[in-house]
Amino acid sequence: MRLFLSAFVFPRKQIFTLRRFQSSSIRHEPISSIQIPMDGTEQSLRQSLSEKSSSVEAQGNAVRALKAARAAKPDIDAAIDLLNKLKLEKSAVEKQLQLTISSSSSSGNGSLNREAFRQAVVNTLERRLFYIPSFKIYRGVAGLFDYGPPGCAVKSNVLSFWRQHFILEENMLEVDCPCVTPEVVLKASGHVDKFTDLMVKDEKTGTCYRADHLLKDYCNEKLEKDLTISADTAAELKEVLAVMEDYSPEELGARIRKYEITAPDTKNPLSDPYPFNLMFQTSIGPSGLIPGYMRPETAQGIFVNFKDLYYYNGRKLPFAAAQIGQAFRNEISPRQGLLRVREFTLAEIEHFVDPENKSHPKFPDVAELEFLMFPREEQMSGQSAKKLCLGEAVAKGTVNNETLGYFIGRVYLFLVRLGIDKGRLRFRQHLANEMAHYAADCWDAEIESSYGWIECVGIADRSAYDLRAHSEKSGVDLVAEEKFSEPKIVEKLVITPVKKELGLAFKKDQKNVSESLEAMNEQEAMEMKATLESNGEVEFYVCTLGKKVSIKKNMVSISKEKKKEHQRVFTPSVIEPSFGIGRIIYCLYEHCFSTRPSKAGDEQLNVFRFPPLVAPIKCTVFPLVQNQQFEEATKVISKELTSVGISHKIDITGTSIGKRYARTDELGVPFAITVDSDTSVTIRERDSKDQVRVSLKEAASVVSSVAEGKMTWQDVWASFPHHSSATADE
């Protein structure tokens, strides 16, 4: 039953003072009649708590004044009663505020429960060797991890399904490019100049921290654990969290100084924030004359190979190229386990499409899907993600085009098939301040974990920026062609920045201004042309600079030209789904982890409820007792499982069947075959613990059919005799 705690509000002037009330005027309210503000919002609760704290302080002063004045005992008792009542009301609001904060936090269980759950998951993962810190005997290096046998198997299964779901089903072209990348490539892509995070240093020890992480931690800590901050302060901190990514080094430094944020470990003062490039730098060849970097993403290898891939595909669009490989980012202060690391696996798709036709022939296959979506309008108005029909979202323009929508739908199906809880999966649209000036639309598949909502897949319409950037830098045209059956008179928009004038006016920012001018659509360009002709100059917002600049008439030429053309030559747009495999796998671990009581009820047993698709081992085989007859039957089953490609493990230890089940449940093994006869065996399903009896010859084929999705466990349960598990010591 919900407990409503409600209160009198006592302004300062009405606080009990000397001889103001007699004891008979004090009514003792039962706890159940005390109420909190009925809207229960965090802002109103913080306001109410501030008022009640003031009331408690003032009433405490009144009690002390009564005692100092040697007032009558009934008056002092009455004042103390009122003070206790006010403390009770304050405590009630504190509890409700804490409940509100906890329920708005990830998982609704509060930070302590989330941390305890996370620790249980991580302890199990490390103990069972899913992953461990790299170079452990040398105390490890932050942000580097080794996958153990079960972790490797899960990762391999996830990547295998990714290949099947995307590369095979969509007829993509797979490539494999080097991890070491020449500087010139990453200079063209913008990574050399812009792939940075803001860093601060402990001024005494030199320890480095990512500046925005320190500010984010401070804001979250105050909002979640400091109930004394005012509603205005809470609103300010929430606004900081919302716009933090837009802060310049100066703005970020000002916030750190304002909140007196210090180094977490030493409490020493911090330096001013400054940019730190996240790429690992190296040199190629013994001379050291060719600078290079370990690639921060796999996409650039696909872009620079576009021309050859286009010819390989018969010079036809659309087509997609895909790559799975390692990427490297020299994170300033890695944390959150597998979620933020310095070497990681990416799986990326670059889908090249005609910018004038972004329809997709298979979009109807996903148009009826409904799932949590979080458009930017809902984010800006403070609403939550809600279920939307994908087809309607594209039709209304919430999602920019069919091809982008198609990949959003395919990503949803991929993640749910892996075992991600669809109730803790949402697609969040980038806000305007998150998108590059050239991007048409961007969505992130975010998965809720104990760390909050984690971006695991980015799906972006990057327009033609990447191919144009590499064309300009390399001098090689990365274009596609559309041949006309008859010549056409076409009117083309021509935007020509005058680089000399832009350079004189904007110096080092000339390239950013020039790119933004060239990226204008026809309506923007013609409006600028009209304004320049009438006024001679115009204010123009440059997204990559985050400010408006003044463009004069002599800085850009905008015109429309009519030409007779036999073919259309254009730079394709790119739709890019990019998957952080490690992040997906960690979220999968959390979503699949649970505990259940042992048969005796004296302990909680860990279970990973992996779908058979990704389970590290599909099946275990147990001889019920150690004798040669059962062990020979076990070898026969093992050989048959191997022949049909089912990973399995034989356990011939002398421990009880129940303990062997518990060990394999903790590894996420979905099926267990127990050999208790030389003619038939039992098959146990992990989640239900139900068992069926099948013949020795059928065992491998039954497990194979369920593991590969050809049958469900319900089909097996309906087809074979049930076996009582009374003898199993679970």
Side-chain angles (χ1 to χ4, degrees):
M1 184 173 73
R2 186 174 179 183
L3 183 65
F4 287 97
L5 299 176
S6 165
F8 308 112
V9 177
F10 289 89
R12 281 186 181 274
K13 292 181 180 177
Q14 296 178 5
I15 296 298
F16 192 97
T17 55
L18 182 62
R19 297 189 182 279
R20 185 81 179 258
F21 297 98
Q22 299 298 322
S23 59
S24 59
S25 68
I26 302 298
R27 292 187 299 111
H28 295 274
E29 297 285 335
I31 292 178
S32 60
S33 71
I34 302 172
Q35 296 179 1
I36 58 159
M38 292 302 291
D39 59 1
T41 63
E42 183 181 339
Q43 184 176 4
S44 63
L45 286 168
R46 287 191 186 277
Q47 185 65 39
S48 177
L49 182 59
S50 177
E51 292 170 357
K52 295 195 182 303
S53 296
S54 298
S55 298
V56 168
E57 182 181 357
Q59 185 62 19
N61 292 335
V63 169
R64 285 188 285 275
L66 285 169
K67 289 181 177 179
R70 298 181 181 279
K73 187 176 184 302
D75 290 344
I76 294 175
D77 290 344
I80 292 173
D81 283 347
L82 182 54
L83 177 61
N84 291 335
K85 179 189 288 286
L86 290 172
K87 287 181 177 179
L88 185 62
E89 292 166 357
K90 177 188 172 187
S91 177
V93 177
E94 284 179 338
K95 289 178 181 177
Q96 184 64 18
L97 177 57
Q98 188 63 65
L99 180 64
T100 301
I101 293 170
S102 295
S103 61
S104 65
S105 301
S106 174
S107 303
N109 295 322
S111 59
L112 289 177
N113 286 354
R114 294 199 307 273
E115 289 168 11
F117 170 77
R118 181 192 312 140
Q119 199 57 53
V121 175
V122 170
N123 288 345
T124 306
L125 290 170
E126 292 193 6
R127 179 168 48 80
R128 298 311 303 263
L129 219 58
F130 280 85
Y131 72 90
I132 53 174
S134 298
F135 317 113
K136 194 174 178 182
I137 64 172
Y138 292 102
R139 299 187 179 180
V141 178
L144 297 176
F145 293 92
D146 296 337
Y147 285 83
C152 282
V154 170
K155 181 179 177 182
S156 175
N157 292 336
V158 168
L159 292 177
S160 177
F161 180 56
W162 191 88
R163 275 194 170 92
Q164 175 193 325
H165 188 79
F166 291 107
I167 294 177
L168 295 181
E169 291 190 28
E170 305 296 338
N171 293 313
M172 295 179 178
L173 311 179
E174 186 173 8
V175 298
D176 187 0
C177 305
C179 293
V180 178
T181 306
E183 182 183 56
V184 65
V185 174
L186 296 167
K187 187 77 173 174
S189 67
H191 284 85
V192 171
D193 298 324
K194 301 173 186 175
F195 197 65
T196 60
D197 280 336
L198 293 175
M199 182 168 76
V200 290
K201 280 187 177 181
D202 183 318
E203 290 190 340
K204 293 185 178 179
T205 68
T207 303
C208 299
Y209 302 95
R210 187 165 149 178
D212 61 330
H213 282 178
L214 295 183
L215 181 57
K216 182 179 180 180
D217 289 346
Y218 171 85
C219 293
N220 285 329
E221 181 85 7
K222 296 292 283 186
L223 287 168
E224 291 183 12
K225 297 182 180 178
D226 188 350
L227 303 182
T228 64
I229 61 173
S230 68
D232 289 342
T233 301
E236 176 188 320
L237 295 175
K238 288 185 176 181
E239 183 180 359
V240 168
L241 288 170
V243 301
M244 187 185 303
E245 290 188 6
D246 286 343
Y247 281 164
S248 65
E250 294 74 23
E251 290 170 324
L252 195 55
R255 287 288 177 182
I256 288 173
R257 288 189 295 273
K258 176 180 178 179
Y259 298 138
E260 299 180 346
I261 298 172
T262 57
D265 302 321
T266 63
K267 307 305 178 188
N268 291 331
L270 297 166
S271 69
D272 290 331
Y274 61 95
F276 172 76
N277 194 291
L278 298 177
M279 292 191 293
F280 287 98
Q281 191 167 13
T282 186
S283 59
I284 304 171
S287 67
L289 298 178
I290 305 175
Y293 296 89
M294 303 302 290
R295 64 183 180 191
E297 61 181 29
T298 66
Q300 301 308 317
I302 297 176
F303 294 137
V304 299
N305 284 314
F306 169 78
K307 188 173 183 178
D308 292 325
L309 292 169
Y310 178 59
Y311 276 85
Y312 179 85
N313 199 54
R315 300 170 71 177
K316 293 179 182 178
L317 285 183
F319 76 89
Q323 181 169 196
I324 298 170
Q326 296 302 98
F328 307 82
R329 296 181 187 177
N330 195 13
E331 292 285 351
I332 295 167
S333 50
R335 56 185 188 173
Q336 300 180 337
L338 293 180
L339 298 182
R340 190 169 295 281
V341 294
R342 287 175 165 141
E343 180 180 349
F344 50 94
T345 302
L346 283 178
E348 295 189 295
I349 297 165
E350 308 301 331
H351 182 91
F352 300 100
V353 63
D354 187 336
E356 295 183 4
N357 180 15
K358 294 182 181 178
S359 62
H360 198 290
K362 293 170 69 176
F363 181 70
D365 295 349
V366 299
E368 300 301 317
L369 291 174
E370 289 189 9
F371 45 81
L372 287 175
M373 299 187 76
F374 204 7
R376 64 173 65 96
E377 290 77 15
E378 276 72 8
Q379 297 174 57
M380 297 297 290
S381 60
Q383 300 180 51
S384 301
K386 58 186 178 184
K387 269 193 175 183
L388 295 177
C389 173
L390 182 57
E392 291 178 11
V394 172
K396 292 177 180 177
T398 304
V399 175
N400 185 269
N401 57 76
E402 278 191 3
T403 299
L404 184 64
Y406 178 72
F407 279 106
I408 289 173
R410 291 289 290 165
V411 169
Y412 169 79
L413 293 173
F414 169 75
L415 294 174
V416 171
R417 280 285 307 278
L418 284 183
I420 297 298
D421 179 357
K422 63 180 69 175
R424 290 187 279 167
L425 167 64
R426 73 182 184 189
F427 288 80
R428 187 186 69 84
Q429 188 175 31
H430 282 204
L431 300 176
N433 62 7
E434 295 178 271
M435 292 209 304
H437 65 280
Y438 52 79
D441 197 6
C442 300
W443 293 76
D444 287 339
E446 296 183 333
I447 303 174
E448 190 181 29
S449 76
S450 62
Y451 291 105
W453 288 97
I454 304 299
E455 171 198 343
C456 293
V457 186
I459 309 111
D461 183 336
R462 296 176 57 86
S463 298
Y465 171 79
D466 302 281
L467 293 180
R468 281 179 178 157
H470 286 298
S471 290
E472 181 180 335
K473 191 72 175 178
S474 67
V476 177
D477 290 332
L478 302 177
V479 295
E481 301 167 353
E482 178 192 5
K483 294 191 180 297
F484 301 143
S485 55
E486 295 180 2
K488 288 185 179 181
I489 304 296
V490 297
E491 190 175 55
K492 299 188 71 173
L493 175 68
V494 180
I495 302 173
T496 309
V498 181
K499 294 185 178 180
K500 179 181 177 182
E501 299 297 333
L502 291 173
L504 290 171
F506 303 111
K507 297 181 174 58
K508 64 182 178 63
D509 293 332
Q510 176 258 334
K511 184 179 178 183
N512 299 74
V513 177
S514 180
E515 288 176 351
S516 292
L517 288 169
E518 290 176 332
M520 288 190 295
N521 60 37
E522 184 172 331
Q523 181 181 346
E524 292 171 327
M526 298 315 293
E527 287 176 358
M528 175 179 281
K529 178 180 172 66
T531 305
L532 288 173
E533 288 176 351
S534 60
N535 299 337
E537 65 178 308
V538 64
E539 291 290 299
F540 178 61
Y541 182 75
V542 180
C543 180
T544 50
L545 297 178
K547 64 180 181 180
K548 288 184 177 180
V549 299
S550 180
I551 300 295
K552 293 185 170 55
K553 191 173 181 179
N554 64 341
M555 294 179 181
V556 63
S557 168
I558 301 172
S559 62
K560 283 189 173 182
E561 299 178 0
K562 289 186 177 180
K563 292 183 177 179
K564 184 177 183 180
E565 293 187 345
H566 296 271
Q567 65 178 12
R568 172 173 158 252
V569 180
F570 59 93
T571 305
S573 286
V574 176
I575 312 292
E576 179 191 71
S578 177
F579 299 73
I581 299 301
R583 290 187 169 197
I584 292 171
I585 288 173
Y586 179 77
C587 291
L588 178 67
Y589 288 152
E590 282 205 5
H591 285 208
C592 291
F593 183 80
S594 64
T595 60
R596 61 188 177 199
S598 62
K599 186 176 182 181
D602 56 347
E603 61 178 325
Q604 290 292 313
L605 304 177
N606 299 326
V607 182
F608 278 111
R609 300 178 185 269
F610 297 124
L613 179 71
V614 297
I617 301 169
K618 310 300 185 193
C619 178
T620 48
V621 186
F622 306 141
L624 182 61
V625 293
Q626 288 181 311
N627 70 39
Q628 188 171 355
Q629 185 181 11
F630 289 174
E631 288 178 12
E632 287 299 321
T634 298
K635 290 177 182 177
V636 170
I637 294 172
S638 174
K639 187 175 181 180
E640 291 180 356
L641 288 169
T642 300
S643 69
V644 293
I646 296 298
S647 59
H648 62 283
K649 182 178 181 181
I650 297 174
D651 187 344
I652 57 173
T653 59
T655 56
S656 69
I657 283 292
K659 289 182 178 178
R660 283 185 271 179
Y661 283 152
R663 281 203 300 258
T664 59
D665 289 347
E666 196 173 51
L667 278 173
V669 181
F671 306 108
I673 298 175
T674 302
V675 180
D676 56 1
S677 159
D678 57 359
T679 58
S680 66
V681 298
T682 65
I683 302 177
R684 170 192 183 263
E685 196 270 336
R686 177 197 60 219
D687 298 339
S688 65
K689 298 194 284 187
D690 289 336
Q691 298 184 34
V692 296
R693 182 164 290 281
V694 303
S695 70
L696 189 66
K697 294 180 179 179
E698 292 177 298
S701 63
V702 170
V703 171
S704 173
S705 295
V706 183
E708 294 175 359
K710 298 174 183 176
M711 294 176 66
T712 65
W713 179 252
Q714 288 72 24
D715 296 332
V716 175
W717 185 250
S719 303
F720 294 94
H722 302 171
H723 178 75
S724 170
S725 59
T727 59
D729 181 18
E730 295 186 69

